[in-house]
Amino acid sequence: MKYLIAVDMEGVHGVEGVKYTGQSPYYAIAKDSSEYAKAVVSATEEVNTVARALYDNGAEKVFLWDNHGGRDNLYMELVDSRVEKVDPPKEMATRLNFLADIKVDGIIFIGYHSRAGSINGILCHTYNGLEIQYIKIDGKQVGELDIDSMIASTFGVPAIFCASDDVCLKQVKEYDARITTVQTKTGKGRTSAIYRPTEVVLSEIYDGVKKAMANRYQPIERKFPLEFEKRFTKMELAAYFYELNKERFGERLCFGDDANTICATVNDIDELRALV
Ligand SMILES: [Zn+2]
């Protein structure tokens, strides 16, 4: 069996981000911040624990996709040397296409976070937090983990494990209750967390991954067409997005309840990736 560890940064243990002080531009785990440095260490610990659990329990191959921000967040010399890093193009249009080549049996999510607008969701956002207020599919809000899981499902790959804060895990279970979850921290605000002890989190991740490997299932299949809605923080962004996509989508693209919101009927995963 082969597995992919998909790594974002905001959901790892011991990290809550730097608080907003009214100074813009603002990024809660900017690369030069102590919270970013902590996130790198925590993500590395979680990835190495996952890799150990996978190899101890019979995995033949483990791949790593480090997809936070500009990528290359982890120092690979500190990551279990048996793990192979994938380095696909960053474009959303081809996101996760590399699954066709590596043919894994499941995805393990590390460091993922709750979707934009989640109360007490630590560092929650959906892609560009400054521009996107929410994304809905068939009337229900979705986040990055939902969308990555949906894309993976079109390659026949199920999401099997997620470690994150309590708010994100609730959303994960709504997506697919079969996903094994481990709580890294409890959200008390956007940049406020109650931490669980590192050794407890890592030990639960080890046991959880082992459990997830034994619990085999097919991914949830998303039926197309689906109704897509994206609300921008600024009308200008919505108008620009509309202009960019109107030729491809024609009559299927329109404004929603207001000038900040774009709606579309989406016929396949390529169209979905074009719009998120
Ligand atoms: Zn991120």
Side-chain angles (χ1 to χ4, degrees):
M1 304 285 274
K2 297 190 278 185
Y3 297 90
L4 174 68
I5 313 175
V7 183
D8 199 354
M9 305 288 281
E10 291 87 349
V12 295
H13 68 278
V15 174
E16 62 183 7
V18 177
K19 287 190 182 4
Y20 182 54
T21 58
Q23 304 293 316
S24 290
Y26 154 76
Y27 184 51
I29 50 168
K31 265 211 155 172
D32 57 358
S33 71
S34 59
E35 286 295 290
Y36 176 81
K38 277 159 63 182
V40 171
V41 172
S42 295
T44 306
E45 288 174 342
E46 292 185 22
V47 164
N48 284 339
T49 303
V50 170
R52 196 161 51 80
L54 290 170
Y55 279 117
D56 284 356
N57 291 285
E60 298 145 36
K61 187 80 202 170
V62 178
F63 296 95
L64 173 76
W65 177 42
D66 178 355
N67 70 65
H68 170 81
R71 311 282 169 86
D72 300 327
N73 302 285
L74 303 189
Y75 302 107
M76 286 310 291
E77 52 274 34
L78 299 179
V79 171
D80 190 313
S81 59
R82 296 169 293 179
V83 173
E84 184 180 325
K85 186 178 173 182
V86 294
D87 201 9
K90 290 176 191 170
E91 288 71 35
M92 187 58 72
T94 57
R95 191 173 176 89
L96 281 164
N97 269 1
F98 65 87
L99 287 176
D101 303 319
I102 64 174
K103 299 195 192 319
V104 292
D105 298 284
I107 296 193
I108 284 158
F109 291 104
I110 291 298
Y112 276 59
H113 47 81
S114 52
R115 59 189 175 236
S118 302
I119 293 172
N120 289 335
I122 298 164
L123 306 174
C124 69
H125 62 280
T126 303
Y127 304 116
N128 188 336
L130 295 176
E131 297 188 354
I132 301 173
Q133 199 172 64
Y134 64 69
I135 292 174
K136 288 184 183 175
I137 290 176
D138 289 338
K140 201 178 165 312
Q141 283 200 37
V142 294
E144 296 174 23
L145 190 139
D146 303 272
I147 291 164
D148 279 348
S149 301
M150 282 180 61
I151 299 169
S153 76
T154 67
F155 293 92
V157 179
I160 63 167
F161 178 90
C162 177
S164 187
D165 69 40
D166 57 322
V167 178
C168 179
L169 295 186
K170 189 162 174 283
Q171 295 171 7
V172 168
K173 287 290 190 185
E174 284 165 16
Y175 177 82
D176 187 342
R178 302 170 299 175
I179 298 172
T180 304
T181 58
V182 168
Q183 191 178 330
T184 54
K185 53 198 173 187
T186 303
K188 288 289 155 191
R190 179 165 172 69
T191 49
S192 180
I194 296 177
Y195 297 138
R196 302 185 72 218
T198 299
E199 62 276 16
V200 172
V201 171
L202 297 180
S203 145
E204 288 184 12
I205 287 176
Y206 184 92
D207 293 341
V209 168
K210 184 178 174 184
K211 188 176 145 207
M213 291 173 80
N215 183 19
R216 293 191 195 159
Y217 50 82
Q218 291 299 310
I220 287 177
E221 216 180 302
R222 176 62 76 162
K223 297 269 183 281
F224 289 92
L226 49 82
E227 294 306 318
F228 177 86
E229 184 180 328
K230 185 178 195 176
R231 190 166 201 277
F232 289 89
T233 53
K234 291 174 188 259
M235 290 176 288
E236 291 84 348
L237 294 167
Y240 177 64
F241 183 80
Y242 180 81
E243 289 302 317
L244 279 182
N245 290 289
K246 71 176 183 190
E247 198 172 305
R248 179 169 182 181
F249 286 85
E251 299 271 287
R252 291 185 288 127
L253 190 79
C254 60
F255 282 88
D257 286 342
D258 59 27
N260 290 63
T261 310
I262 303 288
C263 294
T265 301
V266 169
N267 288 335
D268 57 38
I269 199 71
D270 289 336
E271 289 192 350
L272 180 66
R273 286 187 292 196
L275 294 177
V276 296

